[in-house]
Amino acid sequence: MDAVRVALLREVLAGTEWLGATRRFAGVLRGSVVSHGGGLLLVGTPEYEPWHLAAHLVDEAAWSGTPELAPTLVRHDARPTDPAHLSVGPGRLAAARRGETLLVVSPDRPGAPLLEHVNDARRAGATVLSLGPGEGELAAMAHESLAVPEGTDLDLDTVQHLVSAAAGENAVPTPRGRRRFRDRLSRLADQLTAPPPARW
């Protein structure tokens, strides 16, 4: 989902609780990785890996000048022969320490092995954030949770787009040239979404 589509989505969601909720969660995420500086670990479940969120956070990290937002994607079936950015397995969660942030994305309640890893990371001092159903043990363990229960207006993938975009926006001011590019992009989005001019 590109910046124009995110802008359109936000326009559709204006007046709902989703914009405020995703921005608050993104602010906690950004604040955690920037203030602690220990890195961001991103993990899903064996059935659901948050590839798109990882990619969007990498983009937002580059565009916003906040490299701490670029996550390490932890994969349940990672193999040593995979490329380096795809070869990080669950053992990395066991090595999580104070100052690191662990973001768990799950469409359903995660299984016991993942919950054990999350609990170990929390006990070791990592900040735990969760994005998913918002109930159960994971939500209870998390320092901050954004609930996306089934049957809501938005699905988990769409909420991830909103969170990643807001995480980049909440960043500290960027150098002047980058800000001008974002301003131009914002103006372009406004022009593309504006009604056509009246005929004269």
Side-chain angles (χ1 to χ4, degrees):
M1 188 176 291
D2 57 27
V4 172
R5 289 183 181 161
V6 170
L8 286 170
L9 179 58
R10 286 178 172 164
E11 194 172 303
V12 169
L13 295 174
T16 70
E17 65 182 37
W18 284 110
L19 289 184
T22 54
R23 283 189 168 130
R24 275 190 302 278
F25 186 80
V28 171
L29 170 62
R30 187 190 70 58
S32 176
V33 298
V34 170
S35 63
H36 296 147
L40 174 60
L41 302 173
L42 175 62
V43 67
T45 65
E47 301 78 24
Y48 181 89
E49 290 187 332
W51 297 88
H52 283 99
L53 180 57
H56 285 295
L57 285 172
V58 167
D59 289 343
E60 290 297 334
W63 293 334
S64 67
T66 312
E68 300 91 346
L69 279 175
T72 297
L73 180 62
V74 177
R75 301 179 60 225
H76 294 273
D77 62 351
R79 297 178 299 273
T81 56
D82 289 336
H85 68 290
L86 298 176
S87 64
V88 179
R92 178 62 181 88
L93 299 178
R97 295 291 173 254
R98 181 172 304 283
E100 292 184 307
T101 301
L102 173 58
L103 173 55
V104 184
V105 181
S106 173
D108 304 305
R109 292 187 182 193
L114 178 57
L115 289 173
E116 287 174 21
H117 284 305
V118 172
N119 189 46
D120 291 344
R122 182 183 165 110
R123 285 196 345 236
T127 300
V128 176
L129 308 177
S130 73
L131 186 56
E135 55 187 22
E137 291 178 65
L138 177 60
M141 267 187 245
H143 293 93
E144 186 73 26
S145 183
L146 179 58
V148 189
E150 284 188 31
T152 57
D153 298 334
L154 299 180
D155 62 9
L156 185 60
D157 288 334
T158 304
V159 172
Q160 290 176 69
H161 285 294
L162 291 170
V163 167
S164 62
E169 288 176 349
N170 288 335
V172 293
T174 55
R176 197 174 185 100
R178 287 188 183 153
R179 183 170 291 280
R180 274 195 243 129
F181 173 75
R182 279 210 171 238
D183 290 342
R184 287 196 310 266
L185 190 59
S186 177
R187 279 197 303 276
L188 175 62
D190 290 342
Q191 290 170 357
L192 291 173
T193 59
R199 296 188 143 218
W200 46 274

